[in-house]
Amino acid sequence: QTEPEKPWWQPTIGSSSSSSKAVVDIDNAIEFYDDPDLLQNRPWHQRALVISAGVIFNLLLAFCIYFGQINVGQGVPVPKIDNGIVVRAMPKSTSAASGLLRQGDVILGVNGQEIVAAKNIFESQRTINDFIRTIRTTPDGESLSLSIVHEGRPSQIKIEPKRMEANSPPSIGVMLSPNFVGTDVVKTSNPAEAADLAFQYVSTLTKETAKGFVSVISGLLSGSANNVGSQVTGPIGLIRAGAEVVATKDLSAVLLFAAAISVNLGVINSIPLPGLDGGQLVFVLAEAITGRKIDQRFEEAVTSVAILLLLWVTVVTFAGDLSSLLSAL
């Protein structure tokens, strides 16, 4: 029996025109090429190194940018944050804080607990989140005791959080921001000191970015898609932020923005989800531990589910970006 003629675009298995041959699983029609130069046929440690290279380069690029800025550039601006949380805008007339708090007021303490200065912007955001959590966990009918500074004068006020809607959490109706009091510029001519500072910046940024993505994934799995859309910036928001940075014509700001993007890419790719470098690395490490290749059908099935999750994240972030863009018009 002769084989049917194949289309011109389909390669002939085992033909002399190809340097590799394919081992075919007849029952499932899946081809496994045995060319030793293909990455899939290399030893596991070589594949692990190649897969990790992208993430390593992203973090190394960020390190080089920080090092260059600290050692030979204009330095890295670091915000100085004082005690307390600032009321960023006037409360709405229907909010619990109306008539009690004003724009520019500094909240120094809540229920007798002082709000201490944060070491960096990430810690200051956690401080604000803790304050919001205190508000939302206040039982109905009870008040918060706040220590504030208004126009340089300290005072004590009581605010009873209220629900704006039936199913909404208690709120006092104010927008909050860290208590920024200035900016320091970190710069040194000592290469060893610059390398240490650059490593600290990249480590902190990587850790906080990873925490953010863990929160995003948790939100998706718990069904909080709307909350996730407001936390994550997608392509539209990224282009908008990049355009704003470039518009400043500040080379230092552009470089630091590039460093932040590079760290974000590195963290995203290292997430152990199939379809990303981290997920592929998990399969390679599983092969190293078990001593045998992972079943290709299982790997493809898991990868398909992971890609659906990534597509869902893309849709959610796109919706969040679009909503933010329209609200700014």
Side-chain angles (χ1 to χ4, degrees):
Q1 182 178 358
T2 60
E3 294 184 1
E5 183 177 353
K6 296 183 178 181
W8 63 269
W9 47 264
Q10 184 175 346
T12 302
I13 299 175
S15 66
S16 58
S17 62
S18 175
S19 60
S20 64
K21 295 182 179 180
V23 179
V24 182
D25 185 334
I26 300 299
D27 296 331
N28 295 280
I30 297 178
E31 299 180 356
F32 302 91
Y33 287 88
D34 60 359
D35 186 349
D37 291 331
L38 291 177
L39 180 62
Q40 66 190 31
N41 296 326
R42 305 296 293 179
W44 71 267
H45 59 277
Q46 294 182 10
R47 282 181 285 146
L49 180 61
V50 172
I51 292 172
S52 304
V55 174
I56 294 172
F57 176 80
N58 283 130
L59 300 182
L60 184 59
L61 175 61
F63 173 84
C64 291
I65 290 175
Y66 275 109
F67 177 82
Q69 283 295 108
I70 296 171
N71 191 237
V72 298
Q74 301 176 10
V76 175
V78 178
K80 294 195 302 184
I81 305 172
D82 205 350
N83 293 344
I85 301 171
V86 176
V87 178
R88 194 169 65 189
M90 286 294 292
K92 294 182 179 179
S93 58
T94 56
S95 68
S98 178
L100 297 173
L101 290 174
R102 300 169 183 81
Q103 182 178 3
D105 287 353
V106 180
I107 303 172
L108 295 177
V110 53
N111 295 335
Q113 294 186 350
E114 183 182 6
I115 300 175
V116 298
K119 295 179 180 179
N120 53 53
I121 187 63
F122 302 108
E123 287 190 8
S124 66
Q125 188 57 54
R126 282 196 291 269
T127 299
I128 294 176
N129 292 340
D130 290 340
F131 178 67
I132 294 174
R133 192 176 300 110
T134 300
I135 296 172
R136 291 180 174 177
T137 55
T138 301
D140 293 339
E142 294 190 10
S143 298
L144 294 172
S145 177
L146 302 182
S147 302
I148 70 169
V149 173
H150 173 66
E151 295 181 349
R153 298 190 303 272
S155 63
Q156 293 281 338
I157 63 172
K158 287 187 176 293
I159 295 181
E160 180 182 334
K162 64 180 183 180
R163 302 176 186 271
M164 303 304 292
E165 298 178 2
N167 296 325
S168 64
S171 169
I172 62 174
V174 293
M175 299 179 67
L176 304 170
S177 65
N179 188 14
F180 294 118
V181 295
T183 303
D184 288 331
V185 176
V186 177
K187 182 175 173 60
T188 177
S189 58
N190 186 326
E193 186 178 354
D196 181 59
L197 289 170
F199 179 79
Q200 291 181 32
Y201 284 128
V202 174
S203 297
T204 300
L205 185 57
T206 301
K207 180 176 67 174
E208 296 298 334
T209 304
K211 286 182 179 179
F213 279 110
V214 169
S215 175
V216 167
I217 298 299
S218 300
L220 282 173
L221 295 178
S222 64
S224 305
N226 292 333
N227 188 37
V228 170
S230 64
Q231 293 179 24
V232 182
T233 298
I236 296 177
L238 188 61
I239 294 173
R240 181 183 177 187
E244 292 175 353
V245 172
V246 173
T248 65
K249 298 181 180 179
D250 185 347
L251 179 60
S252 177
V254 173
L255 289 173
L256 294 176
F257 181 74
I261 295 299
S262 188
V263 169
N264 272 262
L265 290 175
V267 171
I268 292 175
N269 270 328
S270 65
I271 295 176
L273 280 176
L276 299 175
D277 289 343
Q280 297 305 311
L281 187 59
V282 168
F283 286 128
V284 172
L285 294 179
E287 176 186 329
I289 294 172
T290 61
R292 60 180 182 179
K293 284 185 175 292
I294 304 299
D295 182 85
Q296 185 171 346
R297 293 165 198 80
F298 171 77
E299 183 175 340
E300 290 175 349
V302 174
T303 301
S304 299
V305 174
I307 289 177
L308 287 177
L309 177 61
L310 294 174
L311 289 174
W312 176 238
V313 172
T314 302
V315 171
V316 170
T317 55
F318 178 83
D321 285 348
L322 191 59
S323 175
S324 177
L325 183 63
L326 293 176
S327 62
L329 296 178

